[in-house]
Amino acid sequence: MDASLDALLKARLAALSEAKRLRRLRPWQWCHGTLHDVDGRALIDASSNDYLGLSQHPLVKARAAGWAERYGAGAPASRLITGTRDITLAVEEKLAAFKHCEAALLFSSGFQANATVIPALAGLKVGAGDTANAPAIFSDELNHASMVHGCRNAKAKTHVFRHRDLDHLDELLRQQAGKPGRKLILTESVFSMDGDRADLPALVQLAERHGAALYVDEAHATGVLGPQGRGLAAECGGGVDVVMGTLGKALGAFGAYIAGSRTLIDYLVNCCPGFIYTTALPPAVLGAVDAALDLVPGMDEDRRRLADNAQRLRDLLAQRNYDTLGSSTQIVPAVIGSEEDALAAAQRLEEVGVLAVAIRPPTVPTGTSRLRFALGSTLDEVTMQRLLTTVATHLPPHPPKTD
Ligand SMILES: *Cc1c(COP(=O)(O)O)cnc(C)c1O
């Protein structure tokens, strides 16, 4: 007899535990916008993606509640059945205007968008029997797991280029020159684990030179970077073909979007299963997004404070000999090295009231386990001072390299 499913799963979990990679869900409590552990101890939150504090903003909460009250708790169906309402289209129009794009399309989550839009674009066939049009994908090695998932689901070969290495990308594109099919370049604008930025203007040029399309994930830039928080693609004057972003990070709500040309959106409505075969976003989420989009352009002051907080933390970490990996955003890694040391450092900080979660493989490459600080504009001066003092006191200087 074969082993039962549970027996196989248990064996896998035991192997993860043996390798000290077993993860468990930890419950947190939120009281009036501050983070508490299960024992009720308040912590300085340096690990959340609610970068502008919008999930707690009175206007965002009120519009979410108001739209739920007025339109109901859930959407009645998928978008192509009865799930498209005037409010759905109005939010999409607002998003398109915010991103300076012709059109935008809502998705249930960023994971769902990347996992299904990439195959829909890479599998593009114009007619039946159109097999010579084999496309190719070019993907930064540090792209998010959801993009990797999309690449694996695509009927296209994926060429992985070294992180932010445009010479390497150029070389790979040249090797594929003359081969038929649309080439698609994938990158994040702000990388989620390193906090560094892609050079989008250079990528736009490179894509043009090779006749490739450019797909940019703005999960961590939307609301935070670019003119009025419109993301980094907004600085490229329409050179990015496909802009993807999430609504559950700086916008404080939930869901995701794709923005681009009207034709792109019409195509996805017809040919992207992750859009077609799923229930529309509920009114409360639409209300929250609608309010967040009203607020974000006017939050330059908050964005400045956030950038300033991140710079102060980077300066402190650099003084203490930590590599912050080219971070120039609100995401600030402090590379520790081994998984055990990263976990121990996170635990030490948590004991003294600062939550900076340890990130380790497979999320990041082996040997680069790190503390990942994700700051928010809601950290006021007193709290920020406490955060810096705590790090200075309880995170020992990183030992110098021996080689
Ligand atoms: C968070 C994240 C996603 C996934 O978005 P969700 O809406 O949380 O599913 C996609 N890409 C990147 C770069 C992310 O950081």
Side-chain angles (χ1 to χ4, degrees):
M1 258 254 315
D2 286 339
S4 72
L5 177 61
D6 261 11
L8 290 170
L9 303 181
K10 268 200 189 115
R12 176 68 189 139
L13 291 172
L16 285 171
S17 180
E18 182 71 22
K20 298 211 163 42
R21 287 205 180 160
L22 188 67
R23 282 128 195 249
R24 287 188 192 286
L25 296 171
R26 273 188 77 181
W28 299 101
Q29 295 174 359
W30 279 87
C31 309
H32 306 293
T34 44
L35 183 73
H36 296 252
D37 67 13
V38 277
D39 304 321
R41 217 162 51 94
L43 292 163
I44 296 176
D45 179 8
S47 283
S48 294
N49 302 325
D50 188 12
Y51 300 125
L52 300 173
L54 284 176
S55 79
Q56 305 297 322
H57 193 287
L59 188 71
V60 175
K61 293 199 283 187
R63 205 167 297 170
W67 286 23
E69 190 61 47
R70 197 150 142 212
Y71 302 105
S78 64
R79 289 289 300 277
L80 285 168
I81 307 297
T82 57
T84 300
R85 310 181 187 202
D86 51 353
I87 50 170
T88 322
L89 294 174
V91 168
E92 286 179 335
E93 253 177 53
K94 216 173 193 174
L95 262 171
F98 173 64
K99 295 299 293 186
H100 289 166
C101 288
E102 251 175 53
L105 193 64
L106 289 164
F107 278 78
S108 306
S109 78
F111 192 98
Q112 194 163 326
N114 281 333
T116 63
V117 172
I118 292 166
L121 293 176
L124 180 54
K125 280 187 190 163
V126 176
D130 178 15
T131 49
N133 204 16
I137 299 174
F138 299 83
S139 180
D140 188 289
E141 67 181 333
L142 292 193
N143 278 341
H144 191 259
S146 54
M147 276 196 270
V148 174
H149 203 80
C151 292
R152 290 193 180 138
N153 285 342
K155 290 191 180 66
K157 180 160 171 49
T158 299
H159 307 267
V160 176
F161 59 94
R162 287 190 293 272
H163 181 48
R164 294 197 310 164
D165 185 340
L166 299 194
D167 291 336
H168 189 212
L169 171 58
D170 189 40
E171 189 187 315
L172 292 175
L173 281 161
R174 252 185 288 156
Q175 283 166 11
Q176 301 301 313
K179 301 217 175 126
R182 198 54 162 153
K183 295 173 182 68
L184 184 65
I185 301 171
L186 307 179
T187 187
E188 298 180 29
S189 60
V190 169
F191 286 87
S192 60
M193 293 302 136
D194 288 23
D196 54 351
R197 308 176 196 213
D199 184 350
L200 290 189
L203 276 164
V204 166
Q205 276 190 3
L206 196 61
E208 266 167 23
R209 204 158 66 239
H210 289 277
L214 181 59
Y215 181 115
V216 176
D217 178 333
E218 298 247 59
H220 296 277
T222 304
V224 178
L225 297 171
Q228 297 176 298
R230 294 170 200 277
L232 296 179
E235 289 175 343
C236 294
V240 177
D241 301 278
V242 187
V243 185
M244 175 273 172
T246 58
L247 305 168
K249 287 172 178 147
L251 267 63
F254 186 73
Y257 63 87
I258 294 282
S261 69
R262 172 44 61 195
T263 306
L264 169 71
I265 300 309
D266 289 347
Y267 172 76
L268 294 175
V269 166
N270 283 278
C271 302
C272 181
F275 172 80
I276 300 168
Y277 300 105
T278 195
T279 302
L281 285 174
V285 167
L286 294 174
V289 173
D290 189 70
L293 288 172
D294 286 344
L295 293 165
V296 161
M299 297 181 80
D300 278 348
E301 186 82 14
D302 303 74
R303 282 183 281 273
R304 248 194 310 276
R305 187 164 54 250
L306 181 55
D308 185 51
N309 283 347
Q311 189 57 49
R312 290 160 73 191
L313 178 60
R314 271 192 300 273
D315 290 346
L316 173 66
L317 290 169
Q319 276 167 29
R320 302 182 76 71
N321 209 22
Y322 285 93
D323 186 355
T324 55
L325 293 175
S327 157
S328 64
T329 65
Q330 74 280 6
I331 297 166
V332 182
V335 175
I336 303 229
S338 82
E339 299 179 45
E340 298 73 30
D341 291 351
L343 285 170
Q347 190 168 356
R348 197 156 50 237
L349 286 185
E350 191 181 324
E351 278 159 11
V352 287
V354 170
L355 186 70
V357 169
I359 307 282
R360 52 208 175 105
T363 309
V364 293
T366 304
T368 71
S369 291
R370 65 198 66 178
L371 294 176
R372 174 181 177 272
F373 294 87
L375 300 180
S377 64
T378 50
L379 293 172
D380 58 25
E381 185 48 33
V382 173
T383 314
M384 193 61 207
Q385 274 297 346
R386 246 181 53 223
L387 171 66
L388 293 172
T389 309
T390 307
V391 170
T393 316
H394 296 277
L395 190 64
H398 195 254
K401 283 203 183 79
T402 45
D403 55 20

mmCIF file of all heavy atoms in Angstrom, residues 171-214:
data_model
loop_
_atom_site.group_PDB
_atom_site.id
_atom_site.type_symbol
_atom_site.label_atom_id
_atom_site.label_comp_id
_atom_site.label_asym_id
_atom_site.label_seq_id
_atom_site.Cartn_x
_atom_site.Cartn_y
_atom_site.Cartn_z
ATOM 1 N N GLU A 171 22.795 40.945 -23.646
ATOM 2 C CA GLU A 171 23.439 39.770 -24.244
ATOM 3 C C GLU A 171 22.406 38.661 -24.527
ATOM 4 O O GLU A 171 22.389 38.080 -25.609
ATOM 5 C CB GLU A 171 24.502 39.287 -23.245
ATOM 6 C CG GLU A 171 25.436 38.218 -23.731
ATOM 7 C CD GLU A 171 26.304 37.756 -22.553
ATOM 8 O OE1 GLU A 171 26.808 38.618 -21.796
ATOM 9 O OE2 GLU A 171 26.444 36.536 -22.375
ATOM 10 N N LEU A 172 21.539 38.401 -23.533
ATOM 11 C CA LEU A 172 20.523 37.350 -23.717
ATOM 12 C C LEU A 172 19.557 37.723 -24.841
ATOM 13 O O LEU A 172 19.161 36.869 -25.645
ATOM 14 C CB LEU A 172 19.747 37.129 -22.408
ATOM 15 C CG LEU A 172 20.539 36.515 -21.254
ATOM 16 C CD1 LEU A 172 19.685 36.456 -19.988
ATOM 17 C CD2 LEU A 172 21.028 35.117 -21.623
ATOM 18 N N LEU A 173 19.183 39.009 -24.893
ATOM 19 C CA LEU A 173 18.271 39.455 -25.957
ATOM 20 C C LEU A 173 18.925 39.294 -27.321
ATOM 21 O O LEU A 173 18.285 38.904 -28.293
ATOM 22 C CB LEU A 173 17.874 40.922 -25.723
ATOM 23 C CG LEU A 173 16.790 41.155 -24.664
ATOM 24 C CD1 LEU A 173 16.814 42.597 -24.183
ATOM 25 C CD2 LEU A 173 15.410 40.798 -25.202
ATOM 26 N N ARG A 174 20.232 39.607 -27.371
ATOM 27 C CA ARG A 174 20.945 39.493 -28.656
ATOM 28 C C ARG A 174 21.004 38.042 -29.135
ATOM 29 O O ARG A 174 20.887 37.768 -30.314
ATOM 30 C CB ARG A 174 22.340 40.101 -28.545
ATOM 31 C CG ARG A 174 22.354 41.435 -29.332
ATOM 32 C CD ARG A 174 23.694 42.065 -29.384
ATOM 33 N NE ARG A 174 24.018 42.596 -28.068
ATOM 34 C CZ ARG A 174 25.252 42.799 -27.637
ATOM 35 N NH1 ARG A 174 26.277 42.508 -28.409
ATOM 36 N NH2 ARG A 174 25.452 43.308 -26.446
ATOM 37 N N GLN A 175 21.179 37.126 -28.145
ATOM 38 C CA GLN A 175 21.220 35.699 -28.520
ATOM 39 C C GLN A 175 19.903 35.256 -29.158
ATOM 40 O O GLN A 175 19.863 34.307 -29.927
ATOM 41 C CB GLN A 175 21.490 34.839 -27.277
ATOM 42 C CG GLN A 175 22.947 34.872 -26.849
ATOM 43 C CD GLN A 175 23.137 34.299 -25.452
ATOM 44 O OE1 GLN A 175 22.230 33.689 -24.884
ATOM 45 N NE2 GLN A 175 24.315 34.492 -24.890
ATOM 46 N N GLN A 176 18.798 35.935 -28.784
ATOM 47 C CA GLN A 176 17.483 35.548 -29.314
ATOM 48 C C GLN A 176 17.070 36.407 -30.507
ATOM 49 O O GLN A 176 15.960 36.262 -31.012
ATOM 50 C CB GLN A 176 16.415 35.661 -28.215
ATOM 51 C CG GLN A 176 16.685 34.796 -26.995
ATOM 52 C CD GLN A 176 16.787 33.334 -27.357
ATOM 53 O OE1 GLN A 176 15.958 32.791 -28.080
ATOM 54 N NE2 GLN A 176 17.846 32.675 -26.886
ATOM 55 N N ALA A 177 17.935 37.315 -30.903
ATOM 56 C CA ALA A 177 17.576 38.229 -31.999
ATOM 57 C C ALA A 177 17.278 37.424 -33.263
ATOM 58 O O ALA A 177 17.908 36.410 -33.530
ATOM 59 C CB ALA A 177 18.713 39.214 -32.260
ATOM 60 N N GLY A 178 16.306 37.868 -34.025
ATOM 61 C CA GLY A 178 15.987 37.197 -35.280
ATOM 62 C C GLY A 178 15.051 36.017 -35.110
ATOM 63 O O GLY A 178 14.438 35.560 -36.065
ATOM 64 N N LYS A 179 14.920 35.526 -33.859
ATOM 65 C CA LYS A 179 13.965 34.426 -33.634
ATOM 66 C C LYS A 179 12.556 35.021 -33.621
ATOM 67 O O LYS A 179 12.356 36.151 -33.186
ATOM 68 C CB LYS A 179 14.259 33.733 -32.306
ATOM 69 C CG LYS A 179 15.678 33.164 -32.269
ATOM 70 C CD LYS A 179 15.758 31.851 -31.534
ATOM 71 C CE LYS A 179 17.159 31.284 -31.632
ATOM 72 N NZ LYS A 179 17.744 30.977 -30.338
ATOM 73 N N PRO A 180 11.585 34.272 -34.105
ATOM 74 C CA PRO A 180 10.232 34.832 -34.185
ATOM 75 C C PRO A 180 9.598 34.945 -32.801
ATOM 76 O O PRO A 180 10.041 34.297 -31.854
ATOM 77 C CB PRO A 180 9.485 33.803 -35.039
ATOM 78 C CG PRO A 180 10.213 32.527 -34.807
ATOM 79 C CD PRO A 180 11.646 32.885 -34.579
ATOM 80 N N GLY A 181 8.565 35.760 -32.705
ATOM 81 C CA GLY A 181 7.800 35.847 -31.463
ATOM 82 C C GLY A 181 8.139 37.092 -30.670
ATOM 83 O O GLY A 181 9.238 37.633 -30.750
ATOM 84 N N ARG A 182 7.164 37.528 -29.901
ATOM 85 C CA ARG A 182 7.278 38.707 -29.075
ATOM 86 C C ARG A 182 8.181 38.427 -27.893
ATOM 87 O O ARG A 182 8.055 37.397 -27.247
ATOM 88 C CB ARG A 182 5.874 39.053 -28.571
ATOM 89 C CG ARG A 182 5.738 40.437 -28.063
ATOM 90 C CD ARG A 182 6.198 41.379 -29.078
ATOM 91 N NE ARG A 182 5.732 42.735 -28.872
ATOM 92 C CZ ARG A 182 6.410 43.765 -29.325
ATOM 93 N NH1 ARG A 182 7.539 43.606 -29.950
ATOM 94 N NH2 ARG A 182 5.944 44.969 -29.182
ATOM 95 N N LYS A 183 9.101 39.313 -27.589
ATOM 96 C CA LYS A 183 9.925 39.151 -26.393
ATOM 97 C C LYS A 183 9.327 39.998 -25.279
ATOM 98 O O LYS A 183 8.873 41.115 -25.507
ATOM 99 C CB LYS A 183 11.361 39.572 -26.694
ATOM 100 C CG LYS A 183 12.006 38.649 -27.716
ATOM 101 C CD LYS A 183 13.371 39.126 -28.160
ATOM 102 C CE LYS A 183 13.923 38.185 -29.221
ATOM 103 N NZ LYS A 183 13.143 38.262 -30.489
ATOM 104 N N LEU A 184 9.342 39.446 -24.078
ATOM 105 C CA LEU A 184 8.729 40.116 -22.931
ATOM 106 C C LEU A 184 9.760 40.208 -21.809
ATOM 107 O O LEU A 184 10.283 39.182 -21.358
ATOM 108 C CB LEU A 184 7.507 39.296 -22.480
ATOM 109 C CG LEU A 184 6.641 39.844 -21.353
ATOM 110 C CD1 LEU A 184 5.959 41.142 -21.755
ATOM 111 C CD2 LEU A 184 5.579 38.813 -20.948
ATOM 112 N N ILE A 185 10.062 41.437 -21.365
ATOM 113 C CA ILE A 185 11.012 41.641 -20.264
ATOM 114 C C ILE A 185 10.226 41.882 -18.973
ATOM 115 O O ILE A 185 9.315 42.708 -18.949
ATOM 116 C CB ILE A 185 11.927 42.858 -20.531
ATOM 117 C CG1 ILE A 185 12.717 42.656 -21.830
ATOM 118 C CG2 ILE A 185 12.869 43.097 -19.352
ATOM 119 C CD1 ILE A 185 13.471 43.902 -22.270
ATOM 120 N N LEU A 186 10.596 41.157 -17.907
ATOM 121 C CA LEU A 186 9.897 41.293 -16.625
ATOM 122 C C LEU A 186 10.830 41.840 -15.552
ATOM 123 O O LEU A 186 11.930 41.327 -15.356
ATOM 124 C CB LEU A 186 9.406 39.928 -16.129
ATOM 125 C CG LEU A 186 8.561 39.057 -17.047
ATOM 126 C CD1 LEU A 186 8.217 37.757 -16.329
ATOM 127 C CD2 LEU A 186 7.289 39.779 -17.460
ATOM 128 N N THR A 187 10.354 42.857 -14.829
ATOM 129 C CA THR A 187 11.130 43.374 -13.693
ATOM 130 C C THR A 187 10.194 43.957 -12.647
ATOM 131 O O THR A 187 9.047 44.289 -12.939
ATOM 132 C CB THR A 187 12.137 44.450 -14.142
ATOM 133 O OG1 THR A 187 12.984 44.796 -13.024
ATOM 134 C CG2 THR A 187 11.436 45.725 -14.611
ATOM 135 N N GLU A 188 10.695 44.052 -11.420
ATOM 136 C CA GLU A 188 10.013 44.855 -10.409
ATOM 137 C C GLU A 188 10.590 46.261 -10.511
ATOM 138 O O GLU A 188 11.732 46.422 -10.951
ATOM 139 C CB GLU A 188 10.264 44.285 -9.004
ATOM 140 C CG GLU A 188 9.713 42.872 -8.852
ATOM 141 C CD GLU A 188 9.945 42.267 -7.466
ATOM 142 O OE1 GLU A 188 10.021 43.003 -6.483
ATOM 143 O OE2 GLU A 188 10.040 41.041 -7.403
ATOM 144 N N SER A 189 9.835 47.277 -10.137
ATOM 145 C CA SER A 189 10.429 48.617 -10.141
ATOM 146 C C SER A 189 11.175 48.846 -8.829
ATOM 147 O O SER A 189 12.256 49.424 -8.811
ATOM 148 C CB SER A 189 9.392 49.707 -10.400
ATOM 149 O OG SER A 189 8.389 49.719 -9.430
ATOM 150 N N VAL A 190 10.610 48.351 -7.710
ATOM 151 C CA VAL A 190 11.322 48.303 -6.432
ATOM 152 C C VAL A 190 11.340 46.839 -6.020
ATOM 153 O O VAL A 190 10.286 46.211 -5.938
ATOM 154 C CB VAL A 190 10.606 49.138 -5.350
ATOM 155 C CG1 VAL A 190 11.213 48.867 -3.975
ATOM 156 C CG2 VAL A 190 10.671 50.615 -5.678
ATOM 157 N N PHE A 191 12.515 46.292 -5.774
ATOM 158 C CA PHE A 191 12.612 44.864 -5.464
ATOM 159 C C PHE A 191 12.243 44.626 -4.010
ATOM 160 O O PHE A 191 12.747 45.303 -3.115
ATOM 161 C CB PHE A 191 13.998 44.340 -5.817
ATOM 162 C CG PHE A 191 14.166 44.202 -7.306
ATOM 163 C CD1 PHE A 191 14.592 45.287 -8.067
ATOM 164 C CD2 PHE A 191 13.824 43.025 -7.956
ATOM 165 C CE1 PHE A 191 14.706 45.186 -9.453
ATOM 166 C CE2 PHE A 191 13.926 42.925 -9.336
ATOM 167 C CZ PHE A 191 14.368 43.998 -10.091
ATOM 168 N N SER A 192 11.363 43.638 -3.817
ATOM 169 C CA SER A 192 10.670 43.505 -2.540
ATOM 170 C C SER A 192 11.583 43.085 -1.386
ATOM 171 O O SER A 192 11.285 43.389 -0.242
ATOM 172 C CB SER A 192 9.517 42.516 -2.670
ATOM 173 O OG SER A 192 9.989 41.245 -3.053
ATOM 174 N N MET A 193 12.664 42.393 -1.666
ATOM 175 C CA MET A 193 13.515 41.921 -0.566
ATOM 176 C C MET A 193 14.804 42.734 -0.429
ATOM 177 O O MET A 193 15.459 42.693 0.602
ATOM 178 C CB MET A 193 13.857 40.437 -0.758
ATOM 179 C CG MET A 193 12.649 39.538 -0.616
ATOM 180 S SD MET A 193 11.849 39.719 0.999
ATOM 181 C CE MET A 193 10.128 39.780 0.527
ATOM 182 N N ASP A 194 15.199 43.465 -1.476
ATOM 183 C CA ASP A 194 16.437 44.252 -1.421
ATOM 184 C C ASP A 194 16.166 45.760 -1.292
ATOM 185 O O ASP A 194 17.042 46.501 -0.853
ATOM 186 C CB ASP A 194 17.282 44.015 -2.674
ATOM 187 C CG ASP A 194 17.916 42.618 -2.684
ATOM 188 O OD1 ASP A 194 17.377 41.737 -2.001
ATOM 189 O OD2 ASP A 194 18.926 42.423 -3.366
ATOM 190 N N GLY A 195 14.974 46.197 -1.710
ATOM 191 C CA GLY A 195 14.640 47.612 -1.620
ATOM 192 C C GLY A 195 15.390 48.484 -2.606
ATOM 193 O O GLY A 195 15.448 49.709 -2.450
ATOM 194 N N ASP A 196 16.006 47.870 -3.621
ATOM 195 C CA ASP A 196 16.677 48.664 -4.665
ATOM 196 C C ASP A 196 15.738 48.843 -5.855
ATOM 197 O O ASP A 196 14.655 48.257 -5.896
ATOM 198 C CB ASP A 196 17.995 47.979 -5.080
ATOM 199 C CG ASP A 196 17.794 46.534 -5.498
ATOM 200 O OD1 ASP A 196 16.680 45.999 -5.317
ATOM 201 O OD2 ASP A 196 18.743 45.927 -6.016
ATOM 202 N N ARG A 197 16.156 49.698 -6.802
ATOM 203 C CA ARG A 197 15.254 50.031 -7.911
ATOM 204 C C ARG A 197 15.808 49.553 -9.241
ATOM 205 O O ARG A 197 17.019 49.582 -9.454
ATOM 206 C CB ARG A 197 15.102 51.557 -8.042
ATOM 207 C CG ARG A 197 14.725 52.235 -6.766
ATOM 208 C CD ARG A 197 14.701 53.737 -7.002
ATOM 209 N NE ARG A 197 14.709 54.429 -5.725
ATOM 210 C CZ ARG A 197 14.094 55.573 -5.496
ATOM 211 N NH1 ARG A 197 13.457 56.195 -6.476
ATOM 212 N NH2 ARG A 197 14.147 56.124 -4.310
ATOM 213 N N ALA A 198 14.905 49.190 -10.124
ATOM 214 C CA ALA A 198 15.304 48.903 -11.501
ATOM 215 C C ALA A 198 15.544 50.233 -12.205
ATOM 216 O O ALA A 198 14.909 51.242 -11.884
ATOM 217 C CB ALA A 198 14.203 48.134 -12.211
ATOM 218 N N ASP A 199 16.465 50.239 -13.159
ATOM 219 C CA ASP A 199 16.716 51.430 -13.974
ATOM 220 C C ASP A 199 15.713 51.410 -15.133
ATOM 221 O O ASP A 199 16.018 50.951 -16.236
ATOM 222 C CB ASP A 199 18.164 51.396 -14.480
ATOM 223 C CG ASP A 199 18.532 52.663 -15.258
ATOM 224 O OD1 ASP A 199 17.614 53.464 -15.553
ATOM 225 O OD2 ASP A 199 19.723 52.827 -15.573
ATOM 226 N N LEU A 200 14.504 51.911 -14.863
ATOM 227 C CA LEU A 200 13.439 51.794 -15.866
ATOM 228 C C LEU A 200 13.735 52.552 -17.158
ATOM 229 O O LEU A 200 13.498 52.017 -18.245
ATOM 230 C CB LEU A 200 12.086 52.221 -15.282
ATOM 231 C CG LEU A 200 11.472 51.286 -14.235
ATOM 232 C CD1 LEU A 200 10.041 51.706 -13.920
ATOM 233 C CD2 LEU A 200 11.476 49.839 -14.687
ATOM 234 N N PRO A 201 14.251 53.787 -17.100
ATOM 235 C CA PRO A 201 14.538 54.470 -18.381
ATOM 236 C C PRO A 201 15.489 53.652 -19.263
ATOM 237 O O PRO A 201 15.266 53.541 -20.470
ATOM 238 C CB PRO A 201 15.175 55.788 -17.938
ATOM 239 C CG PRO A 201 14.640 56.027 -16.570
ATOM 240 C CD PRO A 201 14.480 54.670 -15.948
ATOM 241 N N ALA A 202 16.515 53.040 -18.653
ATOM 242 C CA ALA A 202 17.449 52.223 -19.447
ATOM 243 C C ALA A 202 16.758 50.971 -19.973
ATOM 244 O O ALA A 202 17.007 50.532 -21.092
ATOM 245 C CB ALA A 202 18.668 51.848 -18.599
ATOM 246 N N LEU A 203 15.874 50.388 -19.146
ATOM 247 C CA LEU A 203 15.143 49.194 -19.588
ATOM 248 C C LEU A 203 14.205 49.521 -20.751
ATOM 249 O O LEU A 203 14.046 48.721 -21.676
ATOM 250 C CB LEU A 203 14.348 48.601 -18.422
ATOM 251 C CG LEU A 203 15.134 47.668 -17.504
ATOM 252 C CD1 LEU A 203 14.408 47.453 -16.181
ATOM 253 C CD2 LEU A 203 15.368 46.319 -18.186
ATOM 254 N N VAL A 204 13.579 50.704 -20.681
ATOM 255 C CA VAL A 204 12.683 51.132 -21.769
ATOM 256 C C VAL A 204 13.482 51.212 -23.074
ATOM 257 O O VAL A 204 13.050 50.698 -24.117
ATOM 258 C CB VAL A 204 12.028 52.487 -21.435
ATOM 259 C CG1 VAL A 204 11.369 53.108 -22.666
ATOM 260 C CG2 VAL A 204 11.000 52.329 -20.319
ATOM 261 N N GLN A 205 14.662 51.814 -22.995
ATOM 262 C CA GLN A 205 15.512 51.946 -24.194
ATOM 263 C C GLN A 205 15.926 50.590 -24.746
ATOM 264 O O GLN A 205 15.861 50.342 -25.954
ATOM 265 C CB GLN A 205 16.777 52.723 -23.846
ATOM 266 C CG GLN A 205 16.582 54.217 -23.899
ATOM 267 C CD GLN A 205 17.914 54.944 -23.795
ATOM 268 O OE1 GLN A 205 18.982 54.316 -23.744
ATOM 269 N NE2 GLN A 205 17.859 56.258 -23.758
ATOM 270 N N LEU A 206 16.353 49.723 -23.823
ATOM 271 C CA LEU A 206 16.807 48.388 -24.220
ATOM 272 C C LEU A 206 15.663 47.612 -24.873
ATOM 273 O O LEU A 206 15.848 46.953 -25.909
ATOM 274 C CB LEU A 206 17.302 47.649 -22.974
ATOM 275 C CG LEU A 206 18.155 46.419 -23.184
ATOM 276 C CD1 LEU A 206 19.434 46.765 -23.925
ATOM 277 C CD2 LEU A 206 18.500 45.798 -21.825
ATOM 278 N N ALA A 207 14.474 47.705 -24.269
ATOM 279 C CA ALA A 207 13.306 47.005 -24.818
ATOM 280 C C ALA A 207 13.010 47.516 -26.221
ATOM 281 O O ALA A 207 12.759 46.733 -27.146
ATOM 282 C CB ALA A 207 12.098 47.204 -23.900
ATOM 283 N N GLU A 208 13.078 48.828 -26.401
ATOM 284 C CA GLU A 208 12.803 49.411 -27.721
ATOM 285 C C GLU A 208 13.808 48.909 -28.752
ATOM 286 O O GLU A 208 13.446 48.539 -29.866
ATOM 287 C CB GLU A 208 12.835 50.932 -27.654
ATOM 288 C CG GLU A 208 11.455 51.522 -27.428
ATOM 289 C CD GLU A 208 11.501 52.996 -27.050
ATOM 290 O OE1 GLU A 208 12.503 53.671 -27.379
ATOM 291 O OE2 GLU A 208 10.531 53.449 -26.408
ATOM 292 N N ARG A 209 15.075 48.901 -28.325
ATOM 293 C CA ARG A 209 16.122 48.500 -29.253
ATOM 294 C C ARG A 209 15.933 47.059 -29.728
ATOM 295 O O ARG A 209 16.237 46.726 -30.867
ATOM 296 C CB ARG A 209 17.489 48.664 -28.575
ATOM 297 C CG ARG A 209 18.612 48.842 -29.558
ATOM 298 C CD ARG A 209 19.844 49.509 -28.970
ATOM 299 N NE ARG A 209 20.492 48.706 -27.959
ATOM 300 C CZ ARG A 209 20.687 49.094 -26.699
ATOM 301 N NH1 ARG A 209 20.292 50.260 -26.285
ATOM 302 N NH2 ARG A 209 21.291 48.312 -25.850
ATOM 303 N N HIS A 210 15.405 46.205 -28.852
ATOM 304 C CA HIS A 210 15.257 44.794 -29.207
ATOM 305 C C HIS A 210 13.825 44.446 -29.598
ATOM 306 O O HIS A 210 13.492 43.268 -29.741
ATOM 307 C CB HIS A 210 15.695 43.913 -28.037
ATOM 308 C CG HIS A 210 17.175 43.931 -27.794
ATOM 309 N ND1 HIS A 210 18.048 43.141 -28.506
ATOM 310 C CD2 HIS A 210 17.937 44.667 -26.950
ATOM 311 C CE1 HIS A 210 19.287 43.367 -28.085
ATOM 312 N NE2 HIS A 210 19.246 44.290 -27.146
ATOM 313 N N GLY A 211 12.976 45.434 -29.729
ATOM 314 C CA GLY A 211 11.580 45.146 -30.077
ATOM 315 C C GLY A 211 10.882 44.285 -29.038
ATOM 316 O O GLY A 211 10.031 43.466 -29.369
ATOM 317 N N ALA A 212 11.255 44.463 -27.782
ATOM 318 C CA ALA A 212 10.636 43.671 -26.713
ATOM 319 C C ALA A 212 9.593 44.516 -25.983
ATOM 320 O O ALA A 212 9.649 45.740 -25.997
ATOM 321 C CB ALA A 212 11.713 43.201 -25.730
ATOM 322 N N ALA A 213 8.646 43.848 -25.343
ATOM 323 C CA ALA A 213 7.682 44.545 -24.500
ATOM 324 C C ALA A 213 8.202 44.527 -23.060
ATOM 325 O O ALA A 213 8.910 43.603 -22.662
ATOM 326 C CB ALA A 213 6.325 43.863 -24.580
ATOM 327 N N LEU A 214 7.862 45.558 -22.282
ATOM 328 C CA LEU A 214 8.355 45.682 -20.903
ATOM 329 C C LEU A 214 7.190 45.606 -19.913
ATOM 330 O O LEU A 214 6.212 46.345 -20.031
ATOM 331 C CB LEU A 214 9.118 47.003 -20.748
ATOM 332 C CG LEU A 214 9.734 47.305 -19.392
ATOM 333 C CD1 LEU A 214 10.730 46.228 -18.968
ATOM 334 C CD2 LEU A 214 10.429 48.671 -19.410
#
